Structures are given as C-alpha cells and as structure tokens.
C-alpha cells in the first residue's frame, strides 16, 4: 500500500541536541511538507519542497533544517536553536494540483 | 493576514442525528477549501475538497458547502455514528498555494 512513513513515533531530545525526524513516501508525489501541531492551534508549516534538491521555508522555519536529495525522502532536523521543540510533527505529501494531502502518522518530540 | 476559525468547543451529537461543523475565514478569497479528519495521535486524513465555484459537494454521508459571500464552509455528517467521533480540520489555500489550517473542532457522537 502507498503511503507516508514517519519515524520514530516518539522521540526525546536533550537540551542542546540536534535530532532528525524521518519521512519517506512511496506515492511518487512531487511536493512534501513538514508541519508542527500544538494543542489548540492549527497546523503550522515549517518547510516544504516541490521538487528534488529544492525546498522553501514555511512560517516557522527558524531552528529547523531539511534536505530533499531523493523524491521519496524529506527528513527534518530539529536543531538546538529551536527553543521550544516539544510538539507533534507531521509530514505530508501531495501531487501538485491534485487536491488533498496525504499525512504520515506523526512524530511526537519531547525535550527532556 | 488570512485567518480561519473553527469552533474550539467540542460538539456533542446524538447518534443518528446530523452533525454540522463550521469553518469561517477572513481576509482572503481562497480558490478551494479542504476538510480532514484527525484521530488522537494520528495524522489528518483527507475527506473532501470544494472549489470556489462549487456550492456543495457530497461523499457518502458527508456534505460540504462553500459560501464565498459569507466566507464560510459547513461540513455535515448525516446519520452520525460513534465511529465518526474525531477532530475535524478545515484548510484553505493561501496566495502561495500553501494550506492555512484551522485548529479543528472535536466531534463526539454519543450512542
């Protein structure tokens, strides 16, 4: 079955540590997205990529970095510069102009 | 800036009745609006997309309306079931073809 796989499901980060969240899709979608979800708020866009080797900052990119070396993969690194990283992180993909987004099952990141 | 509002309070509906959720937006005229379902600890699942030139769209027990004059979309679930209990999110496209998301409304269907 086609879909998006996010790993790990739960991740704990120590102060000053960088962590990388994995996102892999086998839907052959061009566009991929990273969102952050906090209680009581709508999804907020961190980064997005519409094509391999190209990506753009979203509304809250500070403290995060991404790469898009392969069409299938769009990993997100949460750096130590992100002061409040505890949140639920969602990866999504879509075929440009085709409508709805397909989401992964999310990674819950907690600072310890 | 664009803004989307969904009822922050949970909506409690008796099984078998029609549930109606509201999505209001300001300061923008989106080309389309989408509705998603999200279960606790899971990613959102796409349900329906409605374009600005469409007044209504249906899918099985789901119906979405889009009133660009009122800047409002209504999402209806007819013959509601306890399995329909979830948080429902609306999202609209912005000028850069990215989605802006509402915070969602939690729907509880009581047996």
């Amino acid at each position: 079955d086609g879909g998006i796989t996010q790993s790990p499901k739960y991740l704990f980060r120590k102060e000053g540590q960088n962590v990388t969240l994995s996102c892999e899709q086998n839907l052959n979608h061009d566009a991929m997205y990273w969102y952050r979800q906090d209680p009581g708020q709508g999804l907020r866009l961190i980064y997005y990529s519409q094509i391999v080797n190209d990506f753009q900052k979203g509304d809250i990119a500070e403290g995060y970095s991404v790469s898009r070396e392969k069409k299938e993969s769009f990993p997100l690194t949460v750096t130590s510069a992100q002061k409040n990283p505890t949140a639920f992180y969602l990866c999504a993909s879509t075929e440009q102009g085709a409508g709805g987004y397909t989401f992964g099952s999310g990674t819950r990141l907690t600072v310890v | 800036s664009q803004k989307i509002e969904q009822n922050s309070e949970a909506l409690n509906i008796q099984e078998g009745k029609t549930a109606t959720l509201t999505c209001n937006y300001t300061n923008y005229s989106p080309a389309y609006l989408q509705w998603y379902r999200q279960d606790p600890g899971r990613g959102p699942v796409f349900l329906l997309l409605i374009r600005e030139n469409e007044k209504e769209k249906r899918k099985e027990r789901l119906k979405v309306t889009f009133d660009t004059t009122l800047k409002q979309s209504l999402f209806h679930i007819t013959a509601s079931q306890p399995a329909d209990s979830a948080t429902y999110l609306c999202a609209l496209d912005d000028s850069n073809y990215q989605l802006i998301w509402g915070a969602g409304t939690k729907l509880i269907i009581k047996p």
Side-chain angles (χ1 to χ4, degrees):
Chain A
D1 286 338
I4 294 185
T5 301
Q6 287 188 244
S7 63
K9 189 172 179 64
Y10 299 97
L11 186 57
F12 298 91
R13 193 194 91 166
K14 295 181 180 179
E15 294 286 348
Q17 202 177 39
N18 292 354
V19 292
T20 297
L21 284 60
S22 172
C23 178
E24 303 278 334
Q25 56 104 353
N26 60 5
L27 300 165
N28 201 34
H29 285 169
D30 290 313
M32 296 187 73
Y33 307 83
W34 273 106
Y35 288 96
R36 171 179 172 143
Q37 188 172 37
D38 294 282
Q41 296 189 40
L43 302 183
R44 291 185 291 167
L45 183 64
I46 304 173
Y47 269 97
Y48 66 100
S49 169
Q50 295 176 314
I51 196 169
V52 175
N53 292 322
D54 188 46
F55 49 83
Q56 281 76 42
K57 293 181 179 179
D59 299 321
I60 56 166
E62 185 175 351
Y64 301 97
S65 66
V66 294
S67 63
R68 186 86 186 275
E69 297 177 0
K70 298 186 301 182
K71 188 175 186 177
E72 305 78 32
S73 180
F74 193 39
L76 174 73
T77 297
V78 184
T79 74
S80 58
Q82 172 50 240
K83 297 307 178 187
N84 184 24
T86 294
F88 190 49
Y89 290 86
L90 288 161
C91 179
S93 72
T94 188
E95 190 61 45
Q96 300 274 30
Y101 288 20
T102 301
F103 281 86
S105 55
T107 293
R108 188 165 298 280
L109 174 62
T110 304
V111 175
V112 296
Chain B
S1 60
Q2 303 100 347
K3 187 176 180 181
I4 296 184
E5 291 184 347
Q6 294 185 258
N7 283 345
S8 58
E9 294 183 9
L11 181 63
N12 288 275
I13 299 293
Q14 195 67 37
E15 181 178 7
K17 302 293 186 182
T18 296
T20 299
L21 286 69
T22 304
C23 177
N24 295 301
Y25 60 93
T26 59
N27 298 334
Y28 191 60
S29 296
Y32 57 82
L33 189 146
Q34 302 184 16
W35 283 90
Y36 291 75
R37 168 184 173 140
Q38 186 175 24
D39 292 287
R42 307 295 299 271
V45 175
F46 171 70
L47 298 174
L48 283 167
L49 179 151
I50 187 165
R51 301 189 185 280
E52 60 178 337
N53 60 348
E54 298 175 315
K55 296 297 184 185
E56 179 181 299
K57 187 164 270 189
R58 294 175 184 261
K59 179 183 176 183
E60 297 173 350
R61 293 184 296 112
L62 309 180
K63 184 178 82 172
V64 171
T65 63
F66 194 8
D67 189 324
T68 54
T69 300
L70 293 178
K71 294 187 181 296
Q72 180 181 80
S73 176
L74 298 179
F75 177 81
H76 307 272
I77 304 176
T78 59
S80 59
Q81 306 165 1
D84 295 326
S85 298
T87 296
Y88 290 85
L89 312 176
C90 71
L92 58 82
D93 69 300
D94 71 1
S95 55
N96 295 316
Y97 304 102
Q98 304 306 320
L99 291 183
I100 302 171
W101 295 80
T105 297
K106 185 175 183 179
L107 176 65
I108 301 169
I109 306 298
K110 296 184 175 181

